[in-house]
Amino acid sequence: MSNQQQKDLRTEWVVGITGASGSVYALRLLEVIAEMGMRPHLVVSEAGERVIREETERTLSDLAERYPLYDVRDVGGPIASGSFPAAGMIVIPCSMHTVAAMAMGLADNLLTRAADVTLKEGRPLIVVPRETPLHLIHLENMARLAQAGARIVPAMPAFYHQPTTLFELVDFVVGKVLDQAGIPHQLFKRWGSE
């Protein structure tokens, strides 16, 4: 593997956005990793597109101006292959529909296919479910994903760092995602730090 390929592997992340509420988490993650010089590759479910528009008044066109955007219906897109040089994949926010599809290995669209490939290649798959309350099937599907190697990071902000704004709560969740990805950051004050 060339030095450029090794660099690409560390800086290229696939980011999936689904129809769960909480698209602000995804938008902040995209902003942060782009500011770090990383290149997010974006795939958005149809429901995710709607939620982005309803929660943020942003559109896929807005996102496509800043990040490579792949059509969720194109199961043959570049991110569907294990040869695509990605460090891993983050699905944020992740609907229970997508959790179920990934847990069952249903690669019926580009988002779930990219997640399936990420697992089979042994790369980090970080799933940020955003649903409450949860019933047994939700929990079993998340457990099944965890058993397959995914890292489950629920969108549950903490309060020990005494946040005073919504942005600090969002940054806490995004920071926890970055921790799981092995990406250093300073988005929140860590427990026990001054």
Side-chain angles (χ1 to χ4, degrees):
M1 186 180 299
S2 72
N3 287 341
Q4 182 61 42
Q5 287 172 316
Q6 288 176 344
K7 180 182 179 204
D8 288 348
L9 189 61
R10 290 190 309 274
T11 62
E12 308 281 322
W13 281 84
V14 176
V15 176
I17 302 175
T18 73
S21 180
S23 56
V24 64
Y25 295 119
L27 299 180
R28 180 64 174 143
L29 174 73
L30 291 168
E31 179 181 283
V32 168
I33 62 177
E35 287 173 358
M36 293 178 172
M38 298 179 183
R39 188 169 181 224
H41 295 266
L42 187 58
V43 59
V44 182
S45 72
E46 290 177 20
E49 180 179 2
R50 178 179 177 170
V51 172
I52 290 169
R53 190 175 54 252
E54 290 179 359
E55 291 183 348
T56 71
E57 298 181 1
R58 305 253 327 253
T59 66
L60 284 190
S61 296
D62 297 335
L63 296 177
E65 290 177 14
R66 297 192 64 197
Y67 315 107
L69 176 65
Y70 302 90
D71 186 337
V72 72
R73 296 165 296 186
D74 182 11
V75 294
I79 62 173
S81 173
S83 65
F84 186 80
M89 181 174 183
I90 301 164
V91 184
I92 179 171
C94 190
S95 67
M96 289 301 115
H97 175 271
T98 303
V99 165
M102 293 186 303
M104 297 299 146
L106 299 178
D108 60 348
N109 65 45
L110 185 57
L111 196 155
T112 55
R113 171 66 184 158
D116 189 63
V117 166
T118 300
L119 285 175
K120 85 172 179 68
E121 293 294 326
R123 297 176 184 153
L125 173 61
I126 302 162
V127 177
V128 184
R130 221 306 306 144
E131 185 62 74
T132 191
L134 300 167
H135 59 65
L136 182 59
I137 296 170
H138 295 154
L139 296 169
E140 288 174 344
N141 285 334
M142 285 187 282
R144 188 174 181 138
L145 273 175
Q147 290 166 345
R151 297 169 188 162
I152 310 297
V153 183
M156 299 166 133
F159 294 89
Y160 62 78
H161 60 294
Q162 300 179 342
T164 58
T165 68
L166 176 63
F167 297 109
E168 290 173 313
L169 294 173
V170 170
D171 275 357
F172 181 86
V173 171
V174 171
K176 296 303 275 186
V177 169
L178 295 174
D179 285 348
Q180 290 301 303
I183 300 171
H185 67 88
Q186 296 181 346
L187 290 179
F188 61 84
K189 180 180 170 188
R190 297 195 180 271
W191 178 256
S193 65
E194 294 297 320

